[in-house]
Amino acid sequence: VRVRARHFTLLRRPKPPGILEWQRATGALAVFNAGQFYPDLRYMGLLVSNGDTVSRRTHPGFQAALVASGGGGPRDARVLDLSQSPLARERGWSDVAQSFMLFDRGGGVRVRRTSRVANRTAVAEDTDGHLVVLVSEGGYTLADFAELLMKSPLRLTHAMSMDGGLEAELVVSSGTFHYASFGRWPQGAGTTAPGALAPLPAVITLEAP
C-alpha cells in the first residue's frame, strides 16, 4: 500500500472532516490521525503531503517522523528517529508527518512519565522493516503505552506517537473487513461515539497502489 499524509486544506474543504468523511473522500484502505495540532488547526511540526509542504516549521521537541517516498514497495515508508537519522531532503520523501518518539531501537522510553491517561495512536517498525499501526481501545499513559508495545509479541524495534485522546482514531475498510476506533471506547457506541465526529485537520491514509 501507499502511505500518504493528508491535510484538509488540500481537499479544498472549509473545515476539517471527521475520520469517516476522510475515508469516504479518499477511498483509503485505512485512515488514522496524523499527529498533533494547535487550537487554530495549524499542524505541530513538519507536514508534507504528496510533495506539497503544508507546515514548514519543524518542531524542536519532536524527534520522530513518519516518511514515505510515494511508492508501495518495501521500505518506501519508514519511522525515522530524528536524533539518529535527520530528515534528508535529497532522499525524496514525498510525505512527512513529524511527531515524537515513544521508544527507540535501544529500548529507551522517549516520553516523560505523567499521570495523563488517554487513548493512543502509534506507528512502529518491526524487525522485518514493516510498518505497524496501532490504536488503543482504552486509555494509557504514554510511558505505559511505550512499555506495553516494547513487551508485545509484535517484535517492534521503535515507535512514534501520533495524537492521543479523542483524536486517536483508526478506520479500516478492506473488502468485507471493517474496523473503527473513535478516540474513546464506550462499548457499542459505534458512529455515535464523540470521536467519530471529531474534526481531524491531518490524517495518514494507507491506499491501494
Side-chain angles (χ1 to χ4, degrees):
V1 298
R2 182 182 178 189
V3 177
R4 289 281 309 275
R6 292 179 172 272
H7 194 265
F8 80 99
T9 55
L10 301 179
L11 287 179
R12 304 294 189 265
R13 300 289 181 93
K15 59 182 181 179
I19 195 166
L20 293 171
E21 190 176 350
W22 269 113
Q23 195 279 326
R24 286 192 291 265
T26 61
L29 300 173
V31 184
F32 59 96
N33 56 299
Q36 300 186 74
F37 52 90
Y38 296 104
D40 64 0
L41 305 181
R42 288 180 299 121
Y43 189 80
M44 289 186 186
L46 180 67
L47 184 70
V48 180
S49 175
N50 199 29
D52 293 324
T53 303
V54 178
S55 173
R56 296 183 178 277
R57 181 173 296 179
T58 57
H59 192 296
F62 288 177
Q63 291 295 303
L66 174 62
V67 296
S69 62
R75 314 300 283 174
D76 279 341
R78 305 285 308 278
V79 173
L80 297 184
D81 180 348
L82 300 183
S83 70
Q84 303 296 322
S85 304
L87 278 171
R89 295 285 183 171
E90 63 272 13
R91 176 61 178 79
W93 302 118
S94 63
D95 294 83
V96 180
Q98 186 186 16
S99 192
F100 57 91
M101 292 294 294
L102 273 176
F103 65 91
D104 56 35
R105 290 182 181 273
V109 174
R110 297 274 290 275
V111 289
R112 293 192 300 269
R113 295 191 178 277
T114 71
S115 60
R116 179 175 171 77
V117 173
N119 283 51
R120 304 292 177 188
T121 302
V123 185
E125 284 189 37
D126 68 12
T127 53
D128 294 322
H130 297 136
L131 281 185
V132 182
V133 179
L134 309 106
V135 293
S136 68
E137 296 180 359
Y140 296 86
T141 68
L142 279 169
D144 285 347
F145 194 45
E147 291 176 345
L148 175 69
L149 297 184
M150 283 194 292
K151 295 174 183 176
S152 78
L154 297 173
R155 300 181 300 123
L156 305 178
T157 57
H158 59 295
M160 64 183 288
S161 177
M162 306 312 247
D163 204 2
L166 198 61
E167 289 79 20
E169 301 181 317
L170 171 68
V171 168
V172 180
S173 181
S174 178
T176 59
F177 179 78
H178 303 279
Y179 171 85
S181 180
F182 299 123
R184 292 177 186 157
W185 197 255
Q187 189 171 3
T191 56
T192 63
L197 302 177
L200 291 178
V203 297
I204 304 297
T205 58
L206 307 182
E207 303 176 21

